[in-house]
């Protein structure tokens, strides 16, 4: 079955630690995204990537970093510079059809990060 | 810039009653519009999408939405609520050819037996 996997499902971090969240897709999608979800705030875009070895900052990129070395993988690192990292993190992907992609996004099951 | 407003962060309906979740959008060009559903501690699942083919869009689980350009709205409806519809619903907008999707803050639907 094609889809998006995220691991781990639950992650606990001590203050001052960097942690990396995994996101893998086998949908052969070009674009991948990371969102942060907090209660009452909807989804906020952290980073996105349309092609291997290229990515752009979203609306709340400070304290986060990403890489896109393979088409199917888009890991997110939450650094110690992120002051309030406790949240639910969602990875998504979408196909790009020519120049007019309409961005139907497919989501992974999410990772809940808690800072101890 | 594109934006989405979802009216009502919490909506309660009785089982069997009409479900109406409101969404208004702002976009400088003809938009693509989406409704997603999220169950607790899970990712989002696409319910339906508007991509200019038809103004009345039917989705999964009996949901449908109507695109009204004059009202800049894309409200989600279901004739008869089921207990399994209890979830959080997100409206989203994407400009054609634009890489990013903007999500609303979500509406939590409670279904009362």
């Amino acid at each position: 079955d094609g889809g998006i996997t995220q691991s781990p499902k639950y992650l606990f971090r001590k203050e001052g630690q960097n942690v990396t969240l995994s996101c893998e897709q086998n949908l052969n999608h070009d674009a991948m995204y990371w969102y942060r979800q907090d209660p009452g705030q909807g989804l906020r875009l952290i980073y996105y990537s349309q092609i291997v070895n290229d990515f752009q900052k979203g609306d709340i990129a400070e304290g986060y970093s990403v890489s896109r070395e393979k088409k199917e993988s888009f890991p997110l690192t939450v650094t110690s510079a992120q002051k309030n990292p406790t949240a639910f993190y969602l990875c998504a992907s979408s196909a790009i059809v020519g120049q007019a992609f309409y961005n139907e996004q497919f989501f992974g099951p999410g990772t809940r990060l808690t800072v101890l | 810039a594109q934006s989405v407003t979802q009216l009502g962060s919490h909506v309660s309906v009785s089982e069997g009653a009409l479900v109406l979740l409101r969404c208004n959008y702002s976009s400088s060009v003809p938009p693509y519009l989406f409704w997603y559903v999220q169950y607790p501690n899970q990712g989002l699942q696409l319910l339906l999408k508007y991509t200019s083919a038809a103004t009345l869009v039917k989705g999964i689980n009996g949901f449908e939405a109507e695109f009204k350009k004059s009202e800049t709205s894309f409200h989600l409806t279901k004739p008869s609520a089921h207990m399994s519809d209890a979830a959080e619903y997100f409206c989203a907008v994407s400009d054609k050819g634009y890489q990013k999707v903007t999500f609303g803050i979500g509406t939590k639907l409670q279904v009362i037996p």
Side-chain angles (χ1 to χ4, degrees):
Chain A
D1 286 339
I4 301 178
T5 57
Q6 290 185 243
S7 62
K9 187 170 180 61
Y10 298 96
L11 185 58
F12 299 90
R13 190 194 94 171
K14 295 181 180 179
E15 286 193 21
Q17 281 184 336
N18 293 354
V19 290
T20 297
L21 282 60
S22 171
C23 177
E24 303 276 334
Q25 56 100 358
N26 62 3
L27 299 168
N28 198 32
H29 285 169
D30 290 298
M32 297 187 73
Y33 311 80
W34 274 105
Y35 294 93
R36 171 180 171 140
Q37 186 177 20
D38 297 280
Q41 297 194 48
L43 276 68
R44 292 183 289 169
L45 182 65
I46 304 172
Y47 270 98
Y48 65 102
S49 168
Q50 288 184 274
I51 194 170
V52 174
N53 293 323
D54 187 45
F55 47 82
Q56 288 76 42
K57 293 182 178 180
D59 302 316
I60 57 165
E62 185 176 351
Y64 299 97
S65 66
V66 294
S67 63
R68 188 88 186 275
E69 297 177 1
K70 298 185 297 182
K71 184 176 183 178
E72 59 270 22
S73 178
F74 191 42
L76 172 74
T77 297
V78 184
T79 75
S80 57
Q82 171 50 238
K83 298 305 180 188
N84 185 23
T86 295
F88 191 52
Y89 291 86
L90 288 162
C91 180
S93 69
S94 66
I96 299 178
V97 181
Q99 295 297 315
F101 55 97
Y102 55 76
N103 252 331
E104 173 184 344
Q105 296 189 2
F106 294 78
F107 284 82
T111 292
R112 187 166 296 281
L113 173 63
T114 302
V115 174
L116 301 175
Chain B
Q2 56 191 17
S3 66
V4 167
T5 301
Q6 290 187 242
L7 299 175
S9 58
H10 290 79
V11 171
S12 294
V13 299
S14 297
E15 190 176 14
L18 171 71
V19 175
L20 171 60
L21 304 182
R22 299 179 187 274
C23 173
N24 288 89
Y25 70 91
S26 173
S27 176
S28 58
V29 297
Y32 294 130
L33 294 159
F34 310 87
W35 276 101
Y36 287 86
V37 61
Q38 184 183 34
Y39 298 98
N41 291 312
Q42 295 186 25
L44 277 67
Q45 178 184 7
L46 183 70
L47 273 179
L48 49 80
K49 62 190 178 191
Y50 167 76
T51 57
S52 75
T55 57
L56 182 62
V57 181
K58 294 186 183 299
I60 62 172
N61 301 339
F63 285 93
E64 63 182 37
E66 186 172 8
F67 173 70
K68 292 187 176 180
K69 184 179 179 180
S70 61
E71 299 177 8
T72 61
S73 69
F74 190 58
H75 301 331
L76 182 70
T77 61
K78 181 174 181 178
S80 176
H82 192 273
M83 295 300 295
S84 61
D85 295 327
E88 190 161 18
Y89 293 80
F90 292 90
C91 182
V93 62
S94 173
D95 290 343
K96 182 177 179 180
Y98 187 53
Q99 298 95 326
K100 295 192 294 183
V101 174
T102 301
F103 288 84
I105 63 170
T107 298
K108 284 189 177 178
L109 176 66
Q110 179 187 22
V111 182
I112 303 168

